[in-house]
Amino acid sequence: MILEVATLNIKVGFSAEFEASFQKAEKIISSMKGYISHQLKKCIEQDDKYILLVNWETIENHQIGFRKSEEYQEWKILLHHFYEPFPTVEHYV
């Protein structure tokens, strides 16, 4: 199992809109091959900051299966305009 850890910095004042869009987007990611589970956590110390934790069966399920899919294009439309700067994504075993 691979843990994807994404640090998400949201444009100031857009957290509520981001969370609403994420509720739609999480249906996309949870339908992908190799997806196991995810959690979105809001930072206590910094407004507009989150971490996204996603468990995948393999790193390829994330980097190829998800990121190169048509569904990822929908994910981007829903979420990418909220990020500033673009998220840092790392993978752990």
Side-chain angles (χ1 to χ4, degrees):
M1 182 171 67
I2 299 297
L3 174 63
E4 169 197 355
V5 178
T7 303
L8 311 176
N9 292 289
I10 305 305
K11 293 176 184 174
V12 175
F14 284 91
S15 286
E17 290 178 41
F18 166 74
E19 289 179 19
S21 288
F22 188 83
Q23 287 182 352
K24 297 174 187 172
E26 67 186 338
K27 293 176 181 123
I28 296 170
I29 199 168
S30 64
S31 73
M32 299 305 298
K33 181 181 182 211
Y35 164 88
I36 298 171
S37 64
H38 74 277
Q39 294 181 310
L40 180 68
K41 300 289 188 180
K42 185 173 176 64
C43 184
I44 294 170
E45 292 82 13
Q46 296 181 50
D47 288 340
D48 305 309
K49 185 174 184 177
Y50 299 77
I51 58 167
L52 174 60
L53 307 171
V54 184
N55 288 297
W56 297 96
E57 290 177 8
T58 68
I59 195 168
E60 293 81 13
N61 289 141
H62 176 231
Q63 292 186 324
I64 298 168
F66 178 54
R67 285 208 176 154
K68 297 195 183 290
S69 70
E70 288 182 27
E71 291 87 348
Y72 184 68
Q73 300 310 310
E74 290 180 59
W75 173 274
K76 284 172 56 173
I77 290 167
L78 285 168
L79 300 176
H80 283 201
H81 62 283
F82 290 109
Y83 304 143
E84 192 172 276
F86 197 76
T88 301
V89 178
E90 298 175 312
H91 298 90
Y92 296 84
V93 292

